[in-house]
Amino acid sequence: MHRLQGIAVSPGICICEALVIENDKGVRIPQRFITADGVQDEIDFCQEAFHKVADEIAQNRDTITKQLGKQYGAIFSAHLQMVGDPELKKKVEHFIRDKRYSAAYAVSRAMRQFAKVFEGLDDAYLAERVQDIFDIESRLLNKLLGTKFEYLSSLNQEAVVFAHNLTPSETANLDRGHVRGFVTEVGGLGGHTSIIAEALQIPAVVAAGHFLEKVQSGDTVIVDGNSGQVYLCPDEETLAQYETLLEEEKSRASELELLSDLPAETLDGTNIELRANIEFPEELTCCLENGAQGVGLYRTEFLYLTRSTEPDEEAHYQAYAQVAEAFGNQPVTIRTLDMGADKINTSFEDLEESNPFLGVRSIRLSLRDLPPFRTQIRAILRASVKGNLQVMFPLISTLREFRQAKMIVADIMEDLEEEGIPFNRDIPIGIMVEVPSAVIMLDRFVKEVDFISIGTNDLIQYTMAVDRTNKEVADLYQPSNPAVLRLIESSIVHANAGGILSTLCGQMSGSPAYTMLLLGLGLRSFSVAPASIPEIKKTCRQVTIKQCQTIAKKVMTLEGTGEINSYLREQYRKVTEVAEET
Ligand code: PEP
Ligand code: MG
């Protein structure tokens, strides 16, 4: 058994088989099984691949020998020997015949076993020959699977994906019916890959260190998305322990289900608004089941992830109209495109930026590349008559940006009016507060915006100067850092003074450990992943505002994140214990 410790980014536990993606080599090997009557065909298919690869290598050998001489051609002779090795073929045949593995999986499994033997040898030269094995494996898989191994979107059995890294689009396109969790070697707490895992409601752990050599597709694994622990080939005792935890999780989930129709009201009767963060319209069901009071953040850039071409006005319109209709009078906040940095890169001007997080991302990109922005605003305005839509601009760092963006909205309103297309002229327009400059200038902003939403994922990143996806500085990515808390407090105070609503939609709003603190700082509206709504509601229903204010007051006197976290954990534990006793 191997135990890995990473960063827990999406809660839950799963015990399942691993599916290892070696995306640094571009090779993805799904574990597939074949039926008994398919065995011979699979073996024939495999032999054909071996023949083709051998021919290919022989050709390479001849060409290189002619061009560079015999000594270079000899490299390929060694490869040729490996492909022709009867032991290798026997092993592959055994996997297909006796284990019923698909040809591709059998090849990959056999090659990995050979590679392990080489790696284990105390001989640097031979250990390096592992690369030759990978090279041959890759050639064989190319013949068996074609050059594109895009199997992740259609798996035929449940699996936990293990990869060095997953891009947001790879994550978004995972086969939702079968992927039960994922674990990556790199990544950070606030990356978008994590956000999608939450949306898919699967446990996920990132920054788990080097593990690709330790895990193989088909191994049993445990992913604990609550603690960030991952077990490869767990022993009996660990398995039994996690099976019990899994049962407990299930009964906690059914307990929370009972809350879905109850209001998110504190013990002293203060009403708290709980909205949902969504990325895909498919999350609507989960929002409604969990009693979301509208959508506080619709991350529309994810519309780009699940298609190969840019969404047109109609595609935007359909997506927004569907969500607006589903929520009726409840507000649905459409955030305009937040592209760039670790999200989807557009080909706009083919920008080469050394610091994309500080570059042309988000509203900055929208204001430079107007056509897609205008298309989106038109679609939002058209859909605004279908429900209670609001528009929100991301990453606003100056008043000028907000005014420019608002002018574009006004301009499109004129167009629609001329064309006789109905829309809501009074559609509320707000901003994400996720850059310190916006917090500092908030007393001015509140005179012009209809609402704000505090985006702590970025606010932490820009306050602490920590790339939210970088595992090396993940310890500095601190939601409860006093500097971050002061900015949150200041945002809420300014919004209240300006008579506008402030919502908090960063990941920290979905963590019950922070709920009391945020309530105490004056927050009355939370926007969280739909699956987190019941837990936050439960916490709200167990506390009084006065109690939360006392907690917040104390926290704001503390100087270190560690102290703050232990104090908050302690307070949360007390509240849950009292609630369980009553
Ligand atoms: C945030 O920055 O807190 C936020 C909610 O936006 P995103 O995570 O999409 O950048
Ligand atoms: Mg953000």
Side-chain angles (χ1 to χ4, degrees):
M1 174 172 90
H2 280 288
R3 192 179 76 88
L4 311 170
Q5 178 68 57
I7 304 173
V9 292
S10 180
I13 290 170
C14 82
I15 304 173
C16 200
E17 282 193 4
L19 171 66
V20 182
I21 302 171
E22 314 236 350
N23 47 3
D24 51 336
K25 293 189 200 72
V27 180
R28 298 172 175 178
I29 315 117
Q31 185 185 19
R32 289 178 179 236
F33 295 96
I34 52 167
T35 54
D37 48 3
V39 166
Q40 198 48 52
D41 284 351
E42 207 69 1
I43 290 175
D44 294 346
F45 182 38
C46 218
Q47 276 174 354
E48 201 183 312
F50 272 94
H51 283 311
K52 282 186 186 161
V53 168
D55 286 350
E56 207 174 85
I57 297 174
Q59 260 178 29
N60 285 345
R61 180 199 53 197
D62 297 345
T63 317
I64 295 294
T65 308
K66 224 187 267 163
Q67 288 174 352
L68 300 173
K70 252 191 176 154
Q71 67 275 37
Y72 292 99
I75 299 170
F76 293 96
S77 302
H79 282 200
L80 210 49
Q81 261 179 1
M82 281 189 207
V83 186
D85 179 10
E87 280 307 309
L88 173 65
K89 287 188 185 155
K90 228 160 73 193
K91 187 145 222 124
V92 171
E93 238 186 86
H94 153 71
F95 280 148
I96 297 176
R97 201 177 291 287
D98 305 325
K99 302 237 175 196
R100 303 270 167 76
Y101 289 162
S102 68
Y105 189 63
V107 164
S108 144
R109 197 79 200 219
M111 299 301 272
R112 293 297 148 133
Q113 286 190 355
F114 273 55
K116 267 199 175 155
V117 174
F118 273 74
E119 277 168 343
L121 294 174
D122 193 18
D123 180 319
Y125 174 78
L126 284 177
E128 276 196 13
R129 301 280 57 80
V130 168
Q131 290 315 317
D132 297 328
I133 297 186
F134 288 147
D135 188 54
I136 292 167
E137 180 197 19
S138 174
R139 282 174 187 266
L140 284 167
L141 289 172
N142 269 331
K143 297 285 169 281
L144 294 167
L145 297 172
T147 40
K148 278 187 86 146
F149 309 111
E150 298 297 342
Y151 276 83
L152 273 184
S153 53
S154 60
L155 305 177
N156 61 357
Q157 70 177 65
E158 298 191 339
V160 173
V161 172
F162 279 73
H164 174 66
N165 199 4
L166 285 169
T167 64
S169 69
E170 279 171 327
T171 323
N173 286 302
L174 292 175
D175 176 345
R176 295 172 199 199
H178 291 98
V179 172
R180 287 284 157 265
F182 66 73
V183 184
T184 58
E185 290 191 324
V186 297
L189 189 61
H192 288 89
T193 309
S194 323
I195 289 162
I196 301 177
E198 267 205 325
L200 301 180
Q201 295 178 56
I202 52 175
V205 174
V206 302
H210 297 292
F211 56 65
L212 285 175
E213 294 84 41
K214 298 180 193 145
V215 60
Q216 292 206 21
S217 291
D219 285 351
T220 300
V221 292
I222 299 174
V223 181
D224 183 341
N226 307 320
S227 68
Q229 294 183 55
V230 178
Y231 295 87
L232 312 176
C233 302
D235 56 29
E236 294 288 314
E237 197 186 328
T238 315
L239 258 180
Q241 192 189 336
Y242 269 93
E243 267 153 12
T244 316
L245 283 175
L246 208 54
E247 283 310 309
E248 283 171 13
E249 243 196 17
K250 278 187 196 148
S251 62
R252 207 170 33 245
S254 36
E255 220 179 89
L256 286 173
E257 254 176 42
L258 303 174
L259 292 177
S260 68
D261 293 330
L262 298 175
E265 201 178 79
T266 56
L267 287 176
D268 52 309
T270 306
N271 200 40
I272 309 301
E273 194 125 5
L274 293 187
R275 300 182 181 172
N277 288 350
I278 63 167
E279 287 74 37
F280 311 102
E282 294 91 315
E283 288 175 85
L284 272 178
T285 323
C286 183
C287 289
L288 300 172
E289 275 171 11
N290 288 314
Q293 297 163 281
V295 171
L297 169 65
Y298 187 160
R299 290 184 165 99
T300 58
E301 56 282 0
F302 287 90
L303 278 177
Y304 279 67
L305 289 181
T306 42
R307 63 183 74 227
S308 49
T309 53
E310 194 166 309
D312 58 10
E313 185 182 318
E314 199 51 29
H316 279 287
Y317 169 79
Q318 291 299 341
Y320 311 149
Q322 186 190 354
V323 183
E325 273 175 351
F327 277 98
N329 287 334
Q330 290 176 320
V332 170
T333 316
I334 313 279
R335 179 177 72 184
T336 61
L337 295 171
D338 188 8
M339 312 281 244
D342 76 324
K343 292 189 196 157
I344 310 101
N345 284 316
T346 60
S347 54
F348 178 62
E349 285 180 5
D350 282 332
L351 288 169
E352 286 259 339
E353 299 184 294
S354 47
N355 283 309
F357 276 109
L358 302 180
V360 188
R361 64 168 286 211
S362 212
I363 193 69
R364 302 171 188 177
L365 185 58
S366 293
L367 293 174
R368 281 169 69 146
D369 185 18
L370 287 178
F373 188 47
R374 291 182 67 95
T375 301
Q376 181 177 34
I377 301 282
R378 250 184 90 93
I380 299 172
L381 289 174
R382 277 177 53 210
S384 65
V385 292
K386 298 281 178 189
N388 181 4
L389 288 193
Q390 323 200 28
V391 187
M392 177 162 76
F393 302 125
L395 208 82
I396 292 287
S397 37
T398 66
L399 277 159
R400 186 161 179 264
E401 276 170 343
F402 173 69
R403 289 174 186 156
Q404 279 180 332
K406 205 173 161 180
M407 257 166 56
I408 290 163
V409 176
D411 190 40
I412 294 168
M413 282 183 174
E414 299 313 315
D415 290 352
L416 291 176
E417 209 149 68
E418 265 173 36
E419 293 168 48
I421 297 173
F423 64 93
N424 174 14
R425 186 164 264 290
D426 299 320
I427 187 167
I429 303 181
I431 56 166
M432 299 265 312
V433 171
E434 40 190 356
V435 183
S437 65
V439 182
I440 294 163
M441 295 300 290
L442 213 53
D443 57 331
R444 305 292 168 87
F445 274 106
V446 294
K447 296 188 179 130
E448 302 184 30
V449 305
D450 295 319
F451 62 90
I452 64 161
S453 190
I454 308 169
T456 44
N457 301 344
D458 276 313
L459 189 59
I460 299 165
Q461 155 164 275
Y462 294 120
T463 306
M464 304 299 296
V466 171
D467 173 348
R468 62 196 257 189
T469 64
N470 184 344
K471 127 180 197 292
E472 300 308 321
V473 284
D475 59 331
L476 270 174
Y477 188 86
Q478 303 165 339
S480 51
N481 181 280
V484 174
L485 295 181
R486 284 188 191 189
L487 292 181
I488 295 175
E489 183 181 37
S490 164
S491 306
I492 300 170
V493 167
H494 281 305
N496 288 346
I500 61 166
L501 181 73
S502 57
T503 300
L504 197 148
C505 63
Q507 297 295 93
M508 75 183 285
S509 65
S511 165
Y514 298 121
T515 311
M516 289 187 284
L517 167 64
L518 295 172
L519 287 172
L521 292 177
L523 192 76
R524 297 292 175 265
S525 173
F526 294 67
S527 192
V528 304
S532 305
I533 291 176
E535 194 80 46
I536 301 300
K537 188 188 278 186
K538 186 175 167 198
T539 311
C540 291
R541 292 177 59 85
Q542 290 168 343
V543 297
T544 64
I545 293 294
K546 197 142 187 272
Q547 188 183 7
C548 295
Q549 282 167 341
T550 311
I551 291 173
K553 213 164 162 191
K554 167 78 182 168
V555 166
M556 297 313 273
T557 65
L558 302 176
E559 288 172 1
T561 306
E563 279 183 278
I564 294 176
N565 284 343
S566 8
Y567 175 72
L568 288 177
R569 264 198 303 272
E570 177 66 13
Q571 296 304 313
Y572 180 58
R573 194 182 53 74
K574 276 190 197 159
V575 164
T576 21
E577 269 174 18
V578 171
E580 267 160 26
E581 279 164 21
T582 51

